[in-house]
Amino acid sequence: MHLDETSGTPFYQQVFDHFRAGIEAGAYPAGSKLPSIRGLAADQKCSRNTIEAAYQLLVQEGFAVSRPGSGYFICDISLLQATPQGRTAAPRADMRPRTRAAASSAQVASDAALADNAAHGAPTSHAPAPATYDFTYGNLQTGTFPAASWRAITDDVLLSVERSAADTYTDPCGEYELRHEIAWRLGALRSIECTPEQVVVQGGTQSSLQNLLALFDVARDAVAMEDPGYDGVRAAIERAHFRVLPCRVMEGADAFLADVRASGARLAYVTPSSQFPTSGSMALETRRSLLSWANETDAYILEDDYCRDFRYKERPVPPLRSIDERGRVVYMGTFSKSLSPALRMNYLVLPPELLERWRTAFAGSYPAVPWLSQVVLGRFMSSGQWDRHLRRVQARNRRKYDALTEALRTCMGERVEVMENGTGLHLLVNVRDGRPQEELVTLAREAGVLVYETNKYWMQRDHALKSCVLVGFSAIAEKDIEPGIQALAQAWFG
């Protein structure tokens, strides 16, 4: 490594870039130790603060982990979102030059600092939380949203000639630049071959599902759904007046597939990368069997891949859409778990036959998401800032997952069964003494800890786990996890 004094890039950034490139190239294998801060600073004739800042940035972006008393070690980056390589994609030919830089490295650092301050309990202007420790699932930790970069890109768009689009009704399927970025990443990172034209930008899971159901016959078609499963999806299906048919997921793949085959459904909703709420991952053989069912019965599969980015133990199985050879899978992705639930933005990737139906059904509709939000997100992705942001969020969630599972093991031991599979943003805790979950939730709330009932996720309530609660870590700060679980243990067990 050589630090270039003539470069405008700060030394800490040069050190970070050197190690990141080496880690991504495999020169520094997972588990290997980084040079000591003191030793590397002496070798490079720079301050120890410079090296420490570079190492801290490696930790923030998930390339390294700090072990007190031992030093810094390389992480297994195969579990993180990879940065696409060899990019040749370009925006539309009619994209005009930008008038200002989208966001500087200082702004990116500012976003990281905001998130880090929130993680360490820095004061904010938000109203106080209703409890001391909220193990909610769904909301993100305060400071996650990259506000400085988003503001800079917004200014750039509004001050450019592209702002003229604000005076028109734009493409009802979504802004091309954003759809292009989504399609390109799906191909590069998930082996999902699709065109930007197949991507339809929507305003959230429930509304996109209801729009998709408009392509089916409510009098004839039914929807098969995992049981237990996401109650918000079930409610959206019922609002559209379609029958919902439960398919067991906790009794093994054979029971699940048997229920699917017996359902007579025309559409099956599944969460194969991180089943909600069990966090299980659907085996490849089960995925192939599900595809065979769809092919044989002229049915479709709605693959909700909402938590694929958050895996802490094993590499993900290929998405259903990537092994679908006959156009039976609708792929659904979201930005709610990694960027902001408040943006209300997700997308569908439609197979050709359903795409034609969609264009007919929604020919006179308007965009589901405001133009400005779409353009800013597209620019955020094309500039490379999305990849850095996602790595930071992934790394933080992996640390929180480790902290939560360790705290439960240490504070509760064999008194609980922790149900998790190393994916997602929550886990299930089943208390072995058989107390009803309503009592467990109440005891926790009285002690200033919020955990959540799970009964509502079962359609067949007699199959629900009586003593099981949901414990999430998407919003709570890492530093609050251990004391929160200690308080929960005291509330439950004294």
mmCIF file of all heavy atoms in Angstrom, residues 406-451:
data_model
loop_
_atom_site.group_PDB
_atom_site.id
_atom_site.type_symbol
_atom_site.label_atom_id
_atom_site.label_comp_id
_atom_site.label_asym_id
_atom_site.label_seq_id
_atom_site.Cartn_x
_atom_site.Cartn_y
_atom_site.Cartn_z
ATOM 1 N N GLU A 406 -27.169 -13.627 21.193
ATOM 2 C CA GLU A 406 -26.286 -13.847 22.337
ATOM 3 C C GLU A 406 -26.960 -13.420 23.639
ATOM 4 O O GLU A 406 -26.861 -14.116 24.663
ATOM 5 C CB GLU A 406 -24.984 -13.074 22.140
ATOM 6 C CG GLU A 406 -24.020 -13.143 23.323
ATOM 7 C CD GLU A 406 -23.527 -14.540 23.633
ATOM 8 O OE1 GLU A 406 -23.625 -15.420 22.750
ATOM 9 O OE2 GLU A 406 -23.052 -14.770 24.767
ATOM 10 N N ALA A 407 -27.668 -12.283 23.630
ATOM 11 C CA ALA A 407 -28.342 -11.813 24.844
ATOM 12 C C ALA A 407 -29.442 -12.786 25.268
ATOM 13 O O ALA A 407 -29.613 -13.063 26.466
ATOM 14 C CB ALA A 407 -28.928 -10.421 24.614
ATOM 15 N N LEU A 408 -30.192 -13.323 24.322
ATOM 16 C CA LEU A 408 -31.232 -14.291 24.659
ATOM 17 C C LEU A 408 -30.624 -15.561 25.250
ATOM 18 O O LEU A 408 -31.134 -16.127 26.222
ATOM 19 C CB LEU A 408 -32.060 -14.625 23.417
ATOM 20 C CG LEU A 408 -33.038 -13.536 22.960
ATOM 21 C CD1 LEU A 408 -33.542 -13.819 21.558
ATOM 22 C CD2 LEU A 408 -34.213 -13.427 23.929
ATOM 23 N N ARG A 409 -29.528 -16.003 24.672
ATOM 24 C CA ARG A 409 -28.868 -17.203 25.182
ATOM 25 C C ARG A 409 -28.340 -16.971 26.594
ATOM 26 O O ARG A 409 -28.519 -17.810 27.486
ATOM 27 C CB ARG A 409 -27.711 -17.603 24.252
ATOM 28 C CG ARG A 409 -27.019 -18.907 24.647
ATOM 29 C CD ARG A 409 -25.753 -19.107 23.848
ATOM 30 N NE ARG A 409 -24.748 -18.089 24.172
ATOM 31 C CZ ARG A 409 -23.977 -18.157 25.242
ATOM 32 N NH1 ARG A 409 -24.076 -19.157 26.101
ATOM 33 N NH2 ARG A 409 -23.093 -17.204 25.470
ATOM 34 N N THR A 410 -27.721 -15.817 26.814
ATOM 35 C CA THR A 410 -27.114 -15.533 28.112
ATOM 36 C C THR A 410 -28.158 -15.263 29.191
ATOM 37 O O THR A 410 -28.038 -15.744 30.316
ATOM 38 C CB THR A 410 -26.178 -14.312 27.987
ATOM 39 O OG1 THR A 410 -25.175 -14.595 27.005
ATOM 40 C CG2 THR A 410 -25.506 -14.008 29.319
ATOM 41 N N CYS A 411 -29.197 -14.497 28.857
ATOM 42 C CA CYS A 411 -30.157 -14.047 29.869
ATOM 43 C C CYS A 411 -31.297 -15.037 30.123
ATOM 44 O O CYS A 411 -31.884 -15.027 31.214
ATOM 45 C CB CYS A 411 -30.748 -12.693 29.465
ATOM 46 S SG CYS A 411 -29.537 -11.371 29.314
ATOM 47 N N MET A 412 -31.616 -15.862 29.127
ATOM 48 C CA MET A 412 -32.786 -16.741 29.282
ATOM 49 C C MET A 412 -32.464 -18.223 29.165
ATOM 50 O O MET A 412 -33.206 -19.064 29.665
ATOM 51 C CB MET A 412 -33.871 -16.355 28.265
ATOM 52 C CG MET A 412 -34.369 -14.935 28.429
ATOM 53 S SD MET A 412 -35.816 -14.594 27.389
ATOM 54 C CE MET A 412 -35.974 -12.824 27.628
ATOM 55 N N GLY A 413 -31.379 -18.545 28.485
ATOM 56 C CA GLY A 413 -30.936 -19.929 28.414
ATOM 57 C C GLY A 413 -32.006 -20.885 27.935
ATOM 58 O O GLY A 413 -32.708 -20.641 26.949
ATOM 59 N N GLU A 414 -32.172 -21.992 28.658
ATOM 60 C CA GLU A 414 -33.082 -23.053 28.261
ATOM 61 C C GLU A 414 -34.538 -22.754 28.594
ATOM 62 O O GLU A 414 -35.421 -23.568 28.303
ATOM 63 C CB GLU A 414 -32.662 -24.363 28.930
ATOM 64 C CG GLU A 414 -31.320 -24.886 28.461
ATOM 65 C CD GLU A 414 -31.297 -25.130 26.963
ATOM 66 O OE1 GLU A 414 -32.274 -25.715 26.439
ATOM 67 O OE2 GLU A 414 -30.311 -24.717 26.301
ATOM 68 N N ARG A 415 -34.811 -21.624 29.220
ATOM 69 C CA ARG A 415 -36.197 -21.293 29.550
ATOM 70 C C ARG A 415 -37.002 -20.877 28.328
ATOM 71 O O ARG A 415 -38.236 -20.799 28.386
ATOM 72 C CB ARG A 415 -36.227 -20.188 30.607
ATOM 73 C CG ARG A 415 -35.725 -20.649 31.979
ATOM 74 C CD ARG A 415 -35.659 -19.525 32.990
ATOM 75 N NE ARG A 415 -34.622 -18.557 32.678
ATOM 76 C CZ ARG A 415 -34.246 -17.573 33.480
ATOM 77 N NH1 ARG A 415 -34.849 -17.427 34.658
ATOM 78 N NH2 ARG A 415 -33.291 -16.732 33.134
ATOM 79 N N VAL A 416 -36.300 -20.598 27.219
ATOM 80 C CA VAL A 416 -36.991 -20.228 25.986
ATOM 81 C C VAL A 416 -36.421 -21.022 24.816
ATOM 82 O O VAL A 416 -35.283 -21.501 24.860
ATOM 83 C CB VAL A 416 -36.874 -18.716 25.682
ATOM 84 C CG1 VAL A 416 -37.469 -17.880 26.793
ATOM 85 C CG2 VAL A 416 -35.420 -18.322 25.421
ATOM 86 N N GLU A 417 -37.231 -21.149 23.796
ATOM 87 C CA GLU A 417 -36.780 -21.685 22.512
ATOM 88 C C GLU A 417 -36.695 -20.519 21.541
ATOM 89 O O GLU A 417 -37.697 -19.842 21.293
ATOM 90 C CB GLU A 417 -37.767 -22.730 21.997
ATOM 91 C CG GLU A 417 -37.418 -23.252 20.611
ATOM 92 C CD GLU A 417 -38.534 -24.083 19.997
ATOM 93 O OE1 GLU A 417 -39.651 -24.103 20.583
ATOM 94 O OE2 GLU A 417 -38.300 -24.676 18.935
ATOM 95 N N VAL A 418 -35.496 -20.262 21.026
ATOM 96 C CA VAL A 418 -35.306 -19.177 20.058
ATOM 97 C C VAL A 418 -35.451 -19.765 18.656
ATOM 98 O O VAL A 418 -34.674 -20.635 18.252
ATOM 99 C CB VAL A 418 -33.937 -18.502 20.224
ATOM 100 C CG1 VAL A 418 -33.758 -17.402 19.174
ATOM 101 C CG2 VAL A 418 -33.807 -17.919 21.630
ATOM 102 N N MET A 419 -36.437 -19.291 17.929
ATOM 103 C CA MET A 419 -36.741 -19.808 16.600
ATOM 104 C C MET A 419 -36.236 -18.817 15.559
ATOM 105 O O MET A 419 -36.811 -17.739 15.386
ATOM 106 C CB MET A 419 -38.240 -20.042 16.459
ATOM 107 C CG MET A 419 -38.808 -20.975 17.533
ATOM 108 S SD MET A 419 -40.618 -21.004 17.589
ATOM 109 C CE MET A 419 -40.971 -21.690 15.976
ATOM 110 N N GLU A 420 -35.145 -19.153 14.927
ATOM 111 C CA GLU A 420 -34.558 -18.275 13.914
ATOM 112 C C GLU A 420 -33.710 -19.109 12.969
ATOM 113 O O GLU A 420 -33.311 -20.226 13.300
ATOM 114 C CB GLU A 420 -33.731 -17.172 14.580
ATOM 115 C CG GLU A 420 -32.620 -17.655 15.482
ATOM 116 C CD GLU A 420 -31.315 -17.886 14.755
ATOM 117 O OE1 GLU A 420 -31.159 -17.364 13.631
ATOM 118 O OE2 GLU A 420 -30.458 -18.602 15.294
ATOM 119 N N ASN A 421 -33.446 -18.553 11.790
ATOM 120 C CA ASN A 421 -32.677 -19.264 10.775
ATOM 121 C C ASN A 421 -31.586 -18.392 10.165
ATOM 122 O O ASN A 421 -31.149 -18.633 9.044
ATOM 123 C CB ASN A 421 -33.619 -19.774 9.680
ATOM 124 C CG ASN A 421 -34.539 -20.866 10.174
ATOM 125 O OD1 ASN A 421 -34.160 -22.029 10.274
ATOM 126 N ND2 ASN A 421 -35.765 -20.496 10.509
ATOM 127 N N GLY A 422 -31.173 -17.348 10.898
ATOM 128 C CA GLY A 422 -30.102 -16.506 10.395
ATOM 129 C C GLY A 422 -30.500 -15.633 9.236
ATOM 130 O O GLY A 422 -29.667 -15.287 8.399
ATOM 131 N N THR A 423 -31.770 -15.238 9.174
ATOM 132 C CA THR A 423 -32.229 -14.341 8.118
ATOM 133 C C THR A 423 -33.168 -13.303 8.717
ATOM 134 O O THR A 423 -33.677 -13.463 9.818
ATOM 135 C CB THR A 423 -33.009 -15.093 7.017
ATOM 136 O OG1 THR A 423 -34.260 -15.540 7.557
ATOM 137 C CG2 THR A 423 -32.222 -16.283 6.494
ATOM 138 N N GLY A 424 -33.410 -12.235 7.969
ATOM 139 C CA GLY A 424 -34.456 -11.278 8.311
ATOM 140 C C GLY A 424 -34.083 -10.291 9.395
ATOM 141 O O GLY A 424 -32.911 -10.072 9.714
ATOM 142 N N LEU A 425 -35.123 -9.685 9.987
ATOM 143 C CA LEU A 425 -34.961 -8.599 10.946
ATOM 144 C C LEU A 425 -35.700 -8.862 12.252
ATOM 145 O O LEU A 425 -35.992 -7.945 13.003
ATOM 146 C CB LEU A 425 -35.462 -7.286 10.317
ATOM 147 C CG LEU A 425 -34.681 -6.830 9.079
ATOM 148 C CD1 LEU A 425 -35.388 -5.658 8.406
ATOM 149 C CD2 LEU A 425 -33.252 -6.463 9.423
ATOM 150 N N HIS A 426 -35.996 -10.122 12.507
ATOM 151 C CA HIS A 426 -36.652 -10.487 13.758
ATOM 152 C C HIS A 426 -36.408 -11.971 14.013
ATOM 153 O O HIS A 426 -35.890 -12.693 13.154
ATOM 154 C CB HIS A 426 -38.156 -10.217 13.681
ATOM 155 C CG HIS A 426 -38.887 -11.243 12.855
ATOM 156 N ND1 HIS A 426 -38.948 -11.173 11.480
ATOM 157 C CD2 HIS A 426 -39.554 -12.373 13.195
ATOM 158 C CE1 HIS A 426 -39.622 -12.204 11.020
ATOM 159 N NE2 HIS A 426 -40.004 -12.963 12.043
ATOM 160 N N LEU A 427 -36.805 -12.417 15.187
ATOM 161 C CA LEU A 427 -36.848 -13.838 15.487
ATOM 162 C C LEU A 427 -38.037 -14.092 16.402
ATOM 163 O O LEU A 427 -38.674 -13.163 16.907
ATOM 164 C CB LEU A 427 -35.531 -14.325 16.103
ATOM 165 C CG LEU A 427 -34.856 -13.473 17.176
ATOM 166 C CD1 LEU A 427 -35.518 -13.699 18.507
ATOM 167 C CD2 LEU A 427 -33.374 -13.818 17.270
ATOM 168 N N LEU A 428 -38.373 -15.362 16.577
ATOM 169 C CA LEU A 428 -39.479 -15.753 17.437
ATOM 170 C C LEU A 428 -38.932 -16.366 18.716
ATOM 171 O O LEU A 428 -37.960 -17.124 18.684
ATOM 172 C CB LEU A 428 -40.390 -16.754 16.727
ATOM 173 C CG LEU A 428 -41.023 -16.290 15.412
ATOM 174 C CD1 LEU A 428 -41.916 -17.385 14.835
ATOM 175 C CD2 LEU A 428 -41.816 -15.006 15.592
ATOM 176 N N VAL A 429 -39.544 -16.024 19.835
ATOM 177 C CA VAL A 429 -39.147 -16.558 21.132
ATOM 178 C C VAL A 429 -40.346 -17.296 21.724
ATOM 179 O O VAL A 429 -41.400 -16.693 21.959
ATOM 180 C CB VAL A 429 -38.676 -15.438 22.082
ATOM 181 C CG1 VAL A 429 -38.365 -16.009 23.459
ATOM 182 C CG2 VAL A 429 -37.446 -14.741 21.507
ATOM 183 N N ASN A 430 -40.177 -18.592 21.930
ATOM 184 C CA ASN A 430 -41.225 -19.427 22.485
ATOM 185 C C ASN A 430 -40.866 -19.763 23.933
ATOM 186 O O ASN A 430 -39.834 -20.386 24.187
ATOM 187 C CB ASN A 430 -41.374 -20.707 21.663
ATOM 188 C CG ASN A 430 -42.663 -21.437 21.939
ATOM 189 O OD1 ASN A 430 -43.703 -20.813 22.133
ATOM 190 N ND2 ASN A 430 -42.614 -22.757 21.977
ATOM 191 N N VAL A 431 -41.685 -19.313 24.873
ATOM 192 C CA VAL A 431 -41.411 -19.529 26.299
ATOM 193 C C VAL A 431 -41.885 -20.931 26.673
ATOM 194 O O VAL A 431 -43.044 -21.296 26.453
ATOM 195 C CB VAL A 431 -42.107 -18.453 27.153
ATOM 196 C CG1 VAL A 431 -41.863 -18.706 28.638
ATOM 197 C CG2 VAL A 431 -41.582 -17.071 26.763
ATOM 198 N N ARG A 432 -40.990 -21.714 27.246
ATOM 199 C CA ARG A 432 -41.242 -23.140 27.432
ATOM 200 C C ARG A 432 -42.259 -23.454 28.533
ATOM 201 O O ARG A 432 -42.789 -24.562 28.584
ATOM 202 C CB ARG A 432 -39.932 -23.857 27.730
ATOM 203 C CG ARG A 432 -38.931 -23.809 26.579
ATOM 204 C CD ARG A 432 -37.725 -24.672 26.892
ATOM 205 N NE ARG A 432 -36.644 -24.505 25.925
ATOM 206 C CZ ARG A 432 -36.560 -25.155 24.767
ATOM 207 N NH1 ARG A 432 -37.518 -26.011 24.419
ATOM 208 N NH2 ARG A 432 -35.529 -24.956 23.951
ATOM 209 N N ASP A 433 -42.547 -22.499 29.424
ATOM 210 C CA ASP A 433 -43.452 -22.823 30.534
ATOM 211 C C ASP A 433 -44.928 -22.766 30.140
ATOM 212 O O ASP A 433 -45.814 -23.023 30.958
ATOM 213 C CB ASP A 433 -43.184 -21.927 31.745
ATOM 214 C CG ASP A 433 -43.412 -20.438 31.467
ATOM 215 O OD1 ASP A 433 -44.127 -20.111 30.501
ATOM 216 O OD2 ASP A 433 -42.876 -19.610 32.227
ATOM 217 N N GLY A 434 -45.212 -22.404 28.892
ATOM 218 C CA GLY A 434 -46.578 -22.489 28.400
ATOM 219 C C GLY A 434 -47.479 -21.311 28.686
ATOM 220 O O GLY A 434 -48.670 -21.347 28.367
ATOM 221 N N ARG A 435 -46.956 -20.239 29.246
ATOM 222 C CA ARG A 435 -47.799 -19.068 29.498
ATOM 223 C C ARG A 435 -48.297 -18.476 28.180
ATOM 224 O O ARG A 435 -47.569 -18.441 27.187
ATOM 225 C CB ARG A 435 -47.012 -18.014 30.273
ATOM 226 C CG ARG A 435 -46.925 -18.268 31.762
ATOM 227 C CD ARG A 435 -46.074 -17.212 32.445
ATOM 228 N NE ARG A 435 -44.657 -17.363 32.135
ATOM 229 C CZ ARG A 435 -43.716 -16.498 32.518
ATOM 230 N NH1 ARG A 435 -44.051 -15.413 33.191
ATOM 231 N NH2 ARG A 435 -42.451 -16.721 32.213
ATOM 232 N N PRO A 436 -49.535 -17.967 28.140
ATOM 233 C CA PRO A 436 -50.052 -17.398 26.893
ATOM 234 C C PRO A 436 -49.277 -16.146 26.491
ATOM 235 O O PRO A 436 -48.808 -15.386 27.345
ATOM 236 C CB PRO A 436 -51.511 -17.077 27.214
ATOM 237 C CG PRO A 436 -51.556 -16.959 28.699
ATOM 238 C CD PRO A 436 -50.533 -17.916 29.220
ATOM 239 N N GLN A 437 -49.171 -15.952 25.200
ATOM 240 C CA GLN A 437 -48.383 -14.817 24.701
ATOM 241 C C GLN A 437 -48.953 -13.489 25.144
ATOM 242 O O GLN A 437 -48.203 -12.520 25.327
ATOM 243 C CB GLN A 437 -48.248 -14.878 23.180
ATOM 244 C CG GLN A 437 -49.547 -14.904 22.422
ATOM 245 C CD GLN A 437 -49.328 -15.097 20.930
ATOM 246 O OE1 GLN A 437 -49.451 -14.144 20.146
ATOM 247 N NE2 GLN A 437 -48.987 -16.293 20.524
ATOM 248 N N GLU A 438 -50.269 -13.391 25.331
ATOM 249 C CA GLU A 438 -50.868 -12.150 25.796
ATOM 250 C C GLU A 438 -50.306 -11.756 27.165
ATOM 251 O O GLU A 438 -50.005 -10.585 27.419
ATOM 252 C CB GLU A 438 -52.385 -12.296 25.878
ATOM 253 C CG GLU A 438 -53.071 -12.518 24.529
ATOM 254 C CD GLU A 438 -53.065 -13.976 24.091
ATOM 255 O OE1 GLU A 438 -52.505 -14.827 24.826
ATOM 256 O OE2 GLU A 438 -53.620 -14.270 23.015
ATOM 257 N N GLU A 439 -50.137 -12.739 28.044
ATOM 258 C CA GLU A 439 -49.567 -12.473 29.360
ATOM 259 C C GLU A 439 -48.105 -12.057 29.250
ATOM 260 O O GLU A 439 -47.660 -11.112 29.933
ATOM 261 C CB GLU A 439 -49.686 -13.723 30.240
ATOM 262 C CG GLU A 439 -49.035 -13.568 31.618
ATOM 263 C CD GLU A 439 -49.074 -14.851 32.422
ATOM 264 O OE1 GLU A 439 -49.892 -15.737 32.117
ATOM 265 O OE2 GLU A 439 -48.255 -14.971 33.372
ATOM 266 N N LEU A 440 -47.362 -12.714 28.377
ATOM 267 C CA LEU A 440 -45.944 -12.399 28.200
ATOM 268 C C LEU A 440 -45.756 -10.975 27.674
ATOM 269 O O LEU A 440 -44.878 -10.242 28.129
ATOM 270 C CB LEU A 440 -45.296 -13.402 27.252
ATOM 271 C CG LEU A 440 -45.276 -14.858 27.732
ATOM 272 C CD1 LEU A 440 -44.887 -15.781 26.592
ATOM 273 C CD2 LEU A 440 -44.303 -15.018 28.906
ATOM 274 N N VAL A 441 -46.596 -10.582 26.725
ATOM 275 C CA VAL A 441 -46.509 -9.237 26.151
ATOM 276 C C VAL A 441 -46.861 -8.185 27.206
ATOM 277 O O VAL A 441 -46.214 -7.133 27.296
ATOM 278 C CB VAL A 441 -47.422 -9.126 24.917
ATOM 279 C CG1 VAL A 441 -47.564 -7.667 24.475
ATOM 280 C CG2 VAL A 441 -46.879 -9.972 23.773
ATOM 281 N N THR A 442 -47.868 -8.474 28.023
ATOM 282 C CA THR A 442 -48.272 -7.533 29.063
ATOM 283 C C THR A 442 -47.183 -7.369 30.113
ATOM 284 O O THR A 442 -46.858 -6.236 30.528
ATOM 285 C CB THR A 442 -49.578 -8.008 29.734
ATOM 286 O OG1 THR A 442 -50.615 -8.045 28.748
ATOM 287 C CG2 THR A 442 -49.985 -7.067 30.848
ATOM 288 N N LEU A 443 -46.600 -8.458 30.573
ATOM 289 C CA LEU A 443 -45.513 -8.389 31.554
ATOM 290 C C LEU A 443 -44.342 -7.577 31.008
ATOM 291 O O LEU A 443 -43.736 -6.772 31.723
ATOM 292 C CB LEU A 443 -45.051 -9.796 31.930
ATOM 293 C CG LEU A 443 -46.008 -10.623 32.801
ATOM 294 C CD1 LEU A 443 -45.509 -12.059 32.898
ATOM 295 C CD2 LEU A 443 -46.135 -10.000 34.185
ATOM 296 N N ALA A 444 -44.029 -7.796 29.752
ATOM 297 C CA ALA A 444 -42.929 -7.055 29.136
ATOM 298 C C ALA A 444 -43.233 -5.568 29.071
ATOM 299 O O ALA A 444 -42.390 -4.725 29.417
ATOM 300 C CB ALA A 444 -42.659 -7.609 27.737
ATOM 301 N N ARG A 445 -44.453 -5.224 28.660
ATOM 302 C CA ARG A 445 -44.825 -3.812 28.526
ATOM 303 C C ARG A 445 -44.770 -3.103 29.870
ATOM 304 O O ARG A 445 -44.340 -1.948 29.961
ATOM 305 C CB ARG A 445 -46.214 -3.703 27.903
ATOM 306 C CG ARG A 445 -46.652 -2.274 27.639
ATOM 307 C CD ARG A 445 -47.917 -2.206 26.805
ATOM 308 N NE ARG A 445 -49.031 -2.873 27.470
ATOM 309 C CZ ARG A 445 -49.619 -3.985 27.039
ATOM 310 N NH1 ARG A 445 -49.185 -4.566 25.931
ATOM 311 N NH2 ARG A 445 -50.628 -4.517 27.694
ATOM 312 N N GLU A 446 -45.192 -3.788 30.925
ATOM 313 C CA GLU A 446 -45.148 -3.186 32.258
ATOM 314 C C GLU A 446 -43.717 -2.910 32.714
ATOM 315 O O GLU A 446 -43.493 -2.038 33.565
ATOM 316 C CB GLU A 446 -45.854 -4.110 33.250
ATOM 317 C CG GLU A 446 -47.359 -4.169 33.036
ATOM 318 C CD GLU A 446 -48.027 -5.222 33.903
ATOM 319 O OE1 GLU A 446 -47.300 -6.024 34.536
ATOM 320 O OE2 GLU A 446 -49.278 -5.256 33.946
ATOM 321 N N ALA A 447 -42.758 -3.643 32.135
ATOM 322 C CA ALA A 447 -41.351 -3.432 32.463
ATOM 323 C C ALA A 447 -40.656 -2.496 31.479
ATOM 324 O O ALA A 447 -39.432 -2.329 31.522
ATOM 325 C CB ALA A 447 -40.621 -4.780 32.491
ATOM 326 N N GLY A 448 -41.431 -1.864 30.587
ATOM 327 C CA GLY A 448 -40.855 -0.926 29.631
ATOM 328 C C GLY A 448 -40.265 -1.568 28.393
ATOM 329 O O GLY A 448 -39.459 -0.962 27.689
ATOM 330 N N VAL A 449 -40.664 -2.814 28.097
ATOM 331 C CA VAL A 449 -40.134 -3.542 26.937
ATOM 332 C C VAL A 449 -41.300 -3.920 26.028
ATOM 333 O O VAL A 449 -42.310 -4.476 26.495
ATOM 334 C CB VAL A 449 -39.386 -4.820 27.371
ATOM 335 C CG1 VAL A 449 -38.811 -5.531 26.144
ATOM 336 C CG2 VAL A 449 -38.292 -4.488 28.366
ATOM 337 N N LEU A 450 -41.188 -3.633 24.742
ATOM 338 C CA LEU A 450 -42.223 -3.995 23.784
ATOM 339 C C LEU A 450 -41.778 -5.184 22.942
ATOM 340 O O LEU A 450 -40.778 -5.117 22.230
ATOM 341 C CB LEU A 450 -42.553 -2.816 22.872
ATOM 342 C CG LEU A 450 -43.154 -1.570 23.547
ATOM 343 C CD1 LEU A 450 -43.508 -0.527 22.497
ATOM 344 C CD2 LEU A 450 -44.368 -1.925 24.384
ATOM 345 N N VAL A 451 -42.510 -6.298 23.074
ATOM 346 C CA VAL A 451 -42.418 -7.438 22.167
ATOM 347 C C VAL A 451 -43.835 -7.682 21.660
ATOM 348 O O VAL A 451 -44.789 -7.079 22.159
ATOM 349 C CB VAL A 451 -41.828 -8.678 22.862
ATOM 350 C CG1 VAL A 451 -40.370 -8.437 23.248
ATOM 351 C CG2 VAL A 451 -42.641 -9.055 24.102
#
